[in-house]
Amino acid sequence: MIKKSSVLVVVDVQNGFIRDASAPVVPVIRDLVQRWLDEGGDVVFTRYINYEGSPFERLIHWTKLRDAPEVDIVPELQPFVGRATAVLDKTIYSLFTDEGRDLIDRHGWTDLYVCGIATESCVLKTAVDAFELGYTPWVVADASGSHAGQVAHDAGMLVLKRFIGAGQIISTKTLPGA
C-alpha cells in the first residue's frame, strides 16, 4: 500500500533524452508508473524545457529540448499522463522550482521516489534537493538511466549514495512501504 505522503517523481523521460543508452529504462519506468497508479499512488512527471539564453546554452552550448517532439514525454508513458497528479515543466535540473515545492507541500508529500533520465543530472539534483530541503528521497536505481551511457549512470549512483545515503537507493523489486 502506498502511503499518502509518498509520490513517484518521473524525471524528464522525454523524447529528446532517449538514446540507445537510455531507451532500456523506459519499459521499467512504464511498469513502475502503472503499478504505482494502480495502487492509488500519486505520480508527478517532469519535463525539462530549454530556452534561448539559458545557462545550458550559454555555458555548455547545449540547445536541445526547446520544442515538440523533443520535449514531449515518451509515447510509452503518454497513457499515464492524464492519470498523473501533475506534469511539471521546468527550466532547471530539479523538480524543486517554486511550482514544484508548492505542489509537494500542498499534497503533504514527504517521501519522494525518484526515477527517470538522467541519473547523473536531473535525477541526482532532484534527490539531493529533496534531501537538503528536509524531504526523504528514494532513488529507484533500475528505473533510472542516462543518455550519456552506463558510466554516467554509475557516476550518478556513486554520488547519490554519498549525498543522500546508500540506504536511499532502491530498486523496483525492493520498494519499501511506499
Side-chain angles (χ1 to χ4, degrees), residues 88-132:
L88 180 87
D89 289 342
K90 60 190 183 67
T91 59
I92 61 175
Y93 289 115
S94 177
L95 160 75
F96 286 92
T97 63
D98 290 342
E99 182 183 356
R101 286 185 77 169
D102 179 62
L103 180 69
I104 291 165
D105 292 341
R106 202 168 4 126
H107 285 274
W109 298 321
T110 57
D111 287 75
L112 282 68
Y113 290 79
V114 183
C115 67
I117 302 170
T119 311
E120 77 285 3
S121 56
C122 297
V123 170
L124 181 143
K125 184 72 164 79
T126 295
V128 171
D129 285 354
F131 175 91
E132 290 184 335

Side-chain angles (χ1 to χ4, degrees), residues 1-102:
M1 184 96 200
I2 296 173
K3 295 183 223 168
K4 293 304 271 177
S5 60
S6 297
V7 62
L8 177 63
V9 179
V10 181
V11 177
D12 302 352
V13 186
Q14 300 167 253
N15 292 327
F17 288 129
I18 301 302
R19 313 267 188 295
D20 289 344
S22 56
V25 78
V26 173
V28 177
I29 294 169
R30 186 210 168 285
D31 291 346
L32 174 58
V33 169
Q34 169 102 49
R35 187 172 78 183
W36 195 273
L37 286 169
D38 287 351
E39 291 181 22
D42 289 313
V43 173
V44 171
F45 289 102
T46 69
R47 290 188 329 155
Y48 172 74
I49 312 286
N50 202 2
Y51 60 93
E52 190 171 331
S54 74
F56 301 93
E57 179 181 292
R58 288 185 304 107
L59 301 175
I60 58 179
H61 311 290
W62 187 72
T63 59
K64 302 283 188 187
L65 273 91
R66 286 191 181 163
D67 301 300
E70 281 189 330
V71 300
D72 295 338
I73 293 172
V74 297
E76 296 88 339
L77 296 178
Q78 282 297 324
F80 305 110
V81 169
R83 294 176 57 196
T85 305
V87 176
L88 180 87
D89 289 342
K90 60 190 183 67
T91 59
I92 61 175
Y93 289 115
S94 177
L95 160 75
F96 286 92
T97 63
D98 290 342
E99 182 183 356
R101 286 185 77 169
D102 179 62

